[in-house]
Structures are given as C-alpha cells and as structure tokens.
Amino acid sequence: MNRKGLAILMRTKMRPTTPSSTTTPPISPSSEAGEIQIGSRRKNSDGNSSMALKSSDSPRNPEGDLKGVWESMHSVISMSKIDILDPVLKNFSEGYFKLSYEDRRKLLVILAREYDVRRNEVRKLIKQYLGLEFPSGDTIQDTTHEEESLLSSFYRIERNLRHALQPKFEVLFEHINMHPGGLKFMTGLRGDLLSMIAEEKVAALRALDSYLKEKLVTWLTPATLELHHITWDDPASLLEKIVAHEAVHPISNLTDLKRRLGAGRRCFGYLHPAIPGEPLIFIEVALLKEVARTIQEVLWDTPPSPESEATCALFYSISSTQPGLAGINLGKFLIKRVIELVKRDMPHITKFATLSPIPGYMNWLQSKLASQLKIAEAENEDSMGSTFKEDILQPDEERALLKLSTEFTSGKKGIEVMMNLLTSTNYEWAKSDKLLSVLRGPLMRLCARFLVIEKKRGKALDSVANFHLQNGAIIEKLNWMADRSTKGLHQSGSIMVNYVYRMDKIEENAQLYFNEGRIQASSDIHHYLEIVQR
C-alpha cells in the first residue's frame, strides 16, 4: 500500500467514536429554554433588557469558560477599534468550541435574545412615522418647500428604522466572516443551532438561524466557489473528507475509493478559498452507455466500458461535508456546473440523469398502511361503514397476499399481511420470488403516488425528489430491486428513481415547480398514477 493510501486508511480508521469539540450532542429532555438562568437582567440604554454573566453562574470546567467566551463575544459586538479586534475574535472563535454543548446553547440563546433587533426603538420610530402626514403632491415636481422638509423627515425615520431593524448580532457575523477561519466557524455554529432547534422550539434561536442562513447564502454565491475535479492525485486530507462524508453509498475501502475516482467515473466538489482543501459539497458521476437501473451497475466490480462509448453522465451521489449548510442549495449550482463541464469536455455525452434513493418512502407507506388498518377495524365495528376507503391493493393482489400469508406471516386482510411483511426487520419478503412478484405492483404504484401526488406546503414530500425537481429535473423511471442493501430496503423498499435533466427544459421545469408546485413526470410514471386513480 502506498503512503497516500495508508494515510487515508489511518485517518478513516482512527476517527473518534465519541463526539468531537464541534459535534453537537443531543440536549437532555430537562434542558428547557425557560430554565436558563445565566445572570441578572439589566436595562440597556435603548430600553431593552439584557443578561449580565456572573462568575458564580459559570463555574470553570475542563472544556471551556462560558463567562470568558461571552465577554469576548460582547467585545466583538461593541468594539469599534479594528486594530484590536483580531485577538478578541480569535479568543471568541477558539473558546466557543471548547465550551460544553450545554454552555454553547446558553451562549446562543443569549446572543439570539439579548443582541437582537432594538424593538423599543423600532416601536418608537414606527409611531413617529405613522404620525407624519404624507405630502399631497402627485409627483416630486409638485412638492413645495414645506413638503420637501416633510419628505426629509420620512427619509430620516426610514433610515433610522432600517438601522434599528438590524440585529446587534449582525456585527458579530460580519466581523467573523472577515476573520481567518470565520466561514468554517460559522458553519459549525449553525450546525449547533440546527441541532438545538431540532430539540427545542425556541423562537429566538429560529430567528438567529434564519438570519445566519441568509448571510451564508449571500457569502456562498457561485462566483465565490471553485469547481474542483477530485482525483486520486489530490492530497490525502481531501480524499479522507470524501470517505468520511459520503452520505448516500458509503465507501467501503481504498479500492472502492480509487474506483470512484478512476476511469469511467468523475467526482467534483465545490471549494471555497476560506475553507481550503475541504469541499463544501461533492458529487459523484458515472459515465455509462445507458442510464443505470440498479446501483450495482454503478458501484461495479469490473472495469467499465471505455469512456468514448459513454452517452450518459449519471449522478449517483451528492453529499455535503458541512451540516451547518443544510437548507442552502449549493447542489443546484454544482449540478449545473458539472453538466456544463461534461458537455464541454465530452460532447458525446447527451443524457444527464440520476439514480437516486427515495429515503422517505417506506415511512410514508407504513404510516398509510397503519391508517388503512384502523379504518378497516372501524368498519368491522360500525355497521354503517367508513366514509372513506382507499384501495391500496388490487383484488388479485389481495388474494395472492392472503394465500401467501400462512407461509410467511399472518393477517386477515391483504394490507395487514403487507404491513407485517414490510415492517419485519429481516426483510424476508425481499428474499422470496413469490412475495416479490406480488408486492412489486402495489409498491411501484404507491411509490409513483408518493413522488408525484404527496406534497407538503405544495412541494414534493420526499426530500430528494424536492431537491431535483426544484433544480429542473423530471421524474423519468422507477427501478425495482435497484438497491438491495439494508439501507435501501429500509428506506425505499429497494426502489430507486431516475431523474433526468433535459437542458432545454431545466429552467422551465424549475419555474413551474417553484411557482405552481407542478411536477414533471414521464409517461411511465403517469401509467402508475392512472392505475392508482382508477
């Protein structure tokens, strides 16, 4: 094994299993926001109340000093002298991740609540604004000298209102962004925020996260990102990031890694100059003769066909290395850039598609089956019957499942047999040709329904579908038994889907989806939907 392979292997093997200083462990159920008592409240000059940290409230611990980090944070926000700002920023950024997770939570709650918008000043300015009488002139030329003076009052209050509506913590993030390592720090801090918001619904933390997300979107424009073709010749430290953060199809060994970076394959990542040597997001591409229908065709064990014979660039995995960038769609820009690059370098590639998982399907299906079982039970108890019934199974499928129930599981109704099979932990149904033959029809039909019809706030319920549809793709084909791994069976019943990017339709499809929630799908997909709706 060469030196680079050994370095990657050692770094991967030696990755700690306990949370690192930047890992955000879950909050205990007793850690409610209302229980935070960090210090006494005092009145600021603007009338807002704030918290003052007391030494007795933040005992020193091996991980960090809450009071010291808070003082550094407060200094950055209130300091005007740039020449002494760098050491204070350094103290804050280094001290933050030395704090325990609970102390970081306390600090962020203080930042969100006590360094927020100056609401007393906002209310005062709004009252002044509403008390002004707007000039009666129809145009600027019609205004008198007196009305010009009145307009000046409007402009002054509007300027002051804009200033008052800027949260105080804006200064902190602006300074950090200009500090070496600042962008990396803020992605870690937002990762903490997202973890905290998932555990407890604190409005101030959600507002802080929303603000920070907007700033990150502004700072991470495509113009600031460098598209990098990742190869085996890259430093071991970069390749180790690929191994560590591959989220869709884990890289099993060094041979697997070399294969994904070798002939017939491509890997591209977005790098930012503020976080050198670490892709923020990366995408893996297979160059194939045709669109792949199973993941094994992509994660091959034998050399692929020559690249010159390829007609399809298949995106089979896209992963982020930064949890703190969740919800920021860098993948949209990455896919478009990769398509442009591949088209330029390999004109013979004419198809751009994905082989994608459907991570939310089985959870949705099991919930749907459970609700139908409750309806069926209610029908047995109520002679009037239910006002709603959904035919998940066709009559012949119902009979076939009941016939097989004695051999594999129990159940008085077809959907009960189906539920028992799909919730079994040994996935016995996926090993039986008889069961696969019976289950294929309903699972494929319902999967089409899940992808196209089931929505949340007008958008696709499945997260991966929503990602590709908002980028302008269409749902092209469902593939049966495409991923037989435990993860594939658990998440999507082994089904995978091809999304296709047609260059002349990308913008139109994206706009229709964004504005109207309209999902573009092939005739194959609509065929399944017609069976569902009969």
Side-chain angles (χ1 to χ4, degrees):
M1 181 184 297
N2 61 24
R3 184 174 297 178
K4 174 178 287 186
L6 181 61
I8 298 170
L9 183 63
M10 291 298 290
R11 284 176 181 163
T12 306
K13 293 281 187 185
M14 295 175 65
R15 194 173 305 114
T17 55
T18 55
S20 67
S21 60
T22 58
T23 301
T24 53
I27 300 170
S28 63
S30 61
S31 300
E32 297 298 331
E35 296 177 3
I36 298 173
Q37 297 293 330
I38 298 183
S40 58
R41 289 189 174 271
R42 64 173 180 227
K43 287 287 183 178
N44 289 332
S45 58
D46 65 357
N48 289 348
S49 63
S50 66
M51 287 184 179
L53 283 171
K54 298 178 180 177
S55 297
S56 59
D57 292 320
S58 55
R60 292 185 177 274
N61 58 68
E63 292 182 315
D65 176 8
L66 176 58
K67 182 175 184 291
V69 178
W70 174 83
E71 287 173 344
S72 297
M73 181 182 78
H74 180 77
S75 296
V76 172
I77 293 173
S78 57
M79 189 178 293
S80 58
K81 294 185 178 180
I82 301 299
D83 56 334
I84 59 173
L85 190 58
D86 278 353
V88 181
L89 276 168
K90 187 171 185 287
N91 288 340
F92 170 66
S93 59
E94 290 181 355
Y96 175 82
F97 283 116
K98 291 179 182 178
L99 295 175
S100 67
Y101 180 76
E102 180 60 21
D103 278 351
R104 296 205 298 268
R105 184 180 72 91
K106 291 176 181 178
L107 188 72
L108 290 179
V109 170
I110 292 175
L111 180 64
R113 288 178 172 167
E114 311 305 328
Y115 295 87
D116 198 2
V117 170
R118 296 176 287 278
R119 291 189 174 83
N120 285 347
E121 187 177 342
V122 170
R123 288 169 62 88
K124 178 182 175 182
L125 289 167
I126 289 175
K127 287 179 181 179
Q128 293 177 14
Y129 194 83
L130 294 175
L132 294 177
E133 182 178 349
F134 198 76
S136 57
D138 293 332
T139 65
I140 294 177
Q141 289 77 12
D142 295 334
T143 58
T144 64
H145 177 75
E146 182 179 340
E147 289 173 331
E148 275 294 326
S149 177
L150 184 58
L151 279 172
S152 296
S153 297
F154 272 103
Y155 298 148
R156 184 184 67 257
I157 294 174
E158 287 164 356
R159 183 189 66 240
N160 293 339
L161 189 56
R162 284 194 297 271
H163 180 71
L165 283 168
Q166 292 176 323
K168 294 179 184 178
F169 53 65
E170 178 180 61
V171 176
L172 177 68
F173 294 136
E174 292 289 351
H175 284 316
I176 291 175
N177 185 47
M178 294 184 289
H179 187 68
L183 183 62
K184 175 73 171 177
F185 171 83
M186 283 187 288
T187 61
L189 186 147
R190 184 166 183 258
D192 281 348
L193 272 174
L194 293 172
S195 178
M196 294 166 190
I197 291 168
E199 295 291 336
E200 54 181 352
K201 305 301 180 184
V202 179
L205 289 180
R206 290 201 300 270
L208 180 64
D209 171 65
S210 178
Y211 178 87
L212 183 53
K213 177 183 175 182
E214 288 179 7
K215 298 302 287 186
L216 287 169
V217 168
T218 302
W219 292 325
L220 293 171
T221 61
T224 66
L225 299 170
E226 174 196 348
L227 182 65
H228 178 66
H229 178 194
I230 299 166
T231 71
W232 183 253
D233 294 328
D234 277 306
S237 58
L238 188 151
L239 299 185
E240 189 268 338
K241 295 288 191 300
I242 302 300
V243 176
H245 294 286
E246 165 55 63
V248 185
H249 304 292
I251 297 172
S252 55
N253 51 46
L254 287 176
T255 302
D256 189 12
L257 175 62
K258 290 191 76 170
R259 193 161 51 223
R260 298 192 195 197
L261 302 177
R265 299 294 179 266
R266 296 289 188 275
C267 183
F268 298 96
Y270 259 153
L271 276 70
H272 192 280
I275 310 179
E278 183 172 347
L280 304 182
I281 188 171
F282 61 92
I283 190 169
E284 295 172 73
V285 187
L287 306 177
L288 306 170
K289 285 186 176 181
E290 297 295 338
V291 178
R293 304 305 182 194
T294 71
I295 195 59
Q296 186 55 39
E297 296 173 56
V298 179
L299 305 178
W300 36 261
D301 297 322
T302 55
S305 55
E307 289 185 4
S308 59
E309 297 179 9
T311 64
C312 171
L314 187 100
F315 310 126
Y316 65 94
S317 178
I318 184 164
S319 303
S320 172
T321 66
Q322 309 293 326
L325 296 183
I328 299 174
N329 192 358
L330 298 179
K332 172 182 179 179
F333 305 115
L334 179 58
I335 287 176
K336 288 184 177 179
R337 287 283 301 278
V338 169
I339 289 175
E340 291 170 0
L341 184 64
V342 171
K343 282 185 67 177
R344 185 195 71 191
D345 294 346
M346 290 177 278
H348 53 283
I349 300 288
T350 58
K351 300 174 188 173
F352 297 91
T354 79
L355 183 62
S356 299
I358 314 167
Y361 176 46
M362 289 305 283
N363 280 342
W364 171 83
L365 178 56
Q366 289 171 19
S367 174
K368 176 64 72 177
L369 290 172
S371 67
Q372 290 301 298
L373 282 172
K374 288 182 180 179
I375 291 173
E377 290 171 3
E379 286 179 338
N380 291 335
E381 295 174 3
D382 184 1
S383 59
M384 297 295 293
S386 171
T387 58
F388 172 78
K389 182 178 179 181
E390 185 172 353
D391 294 323
I392 287 180
L393 296 172
Q394 301 292 321
D396 58 330
E397 295 165 347
E398 175 96 15
R399 288 191 296 270
L401 277 173
L402 288 174
K403 183 178 179 181
L404 291 171
S405 64
T406 55
E407 184 178 347
F408 294 98
T409 186
S410 60
K412 297 179 180 179
K413 291 181 176 289
I415 54 173
E416 185 179 1
V417 175
M418 189 173 176
M419 180 73 162
N420 291 338
L421 289 170
L422 297 180
T423 54
S424 66
T425 56
N426 60 3
Y427 304 105
E428 187 179 9
W429 63 271
K431 306 166 190 172
S432 165
D433 291 339
K434 294 179 184 177
L435 288 173
L436 287 175
S437 177
V438 175
L439 289 172
R440 177 171 181 163
L443 286 180
M444 295 284 273
R445 282 198 311 273
L446 290 163
C447 188
R449 167 181 167 167
F450 173 68
L451 292 174
V452 179
I453 297 175
E454 297 296 322
K455 295 184 179 181
K456 181 179 180 180
R457 300 190 185 98
K459 299 296 185 289
L461 188 59
D462 184 70
S463 58
V464 176
N466 181 60
F467 171 77
H468 287 294
L469 292 169
Q470 70 181 351
N471 294 344
I474 74 164
I475 306 176
E476 180 73 13
K477 188 175 182 62
L478 294 179
N479 302 295
W480 179 244
M481 286 291 114
D483 183 0
R484 292 174 176 261
S485 69
T486 300
K487 182 180 178 181
L489 290 165
H490 175 71
Q491 290 187 339
S492 62
S494 83
I495 302 171
M496 298 188 79
V497 57
N498 298 123
Y499 298 97
V500 170
Y501 285 86
R502 294 186 177 133
M503 297 306 296
D504 59 336
K505 292 288 186 179
I506 282 181
E507 293 303 327
E508 179 185 345
N509 292 343
Q511 284 299 317
L512 286 172
Y513 182 70
F514 181 79
N515 295 329
E516 304 173 25
R518 196 187 304 180
I519 293 174
Q520 304 298 315
S522 68
S523 57
D524 271 3
I525 302 299
H526 282 290
H527 172 71
Y528 286 119
L529 295 176
E530 288 168 5
I531 298 174
V532 170
Q533 294 167 351
R534 283 175 189 168

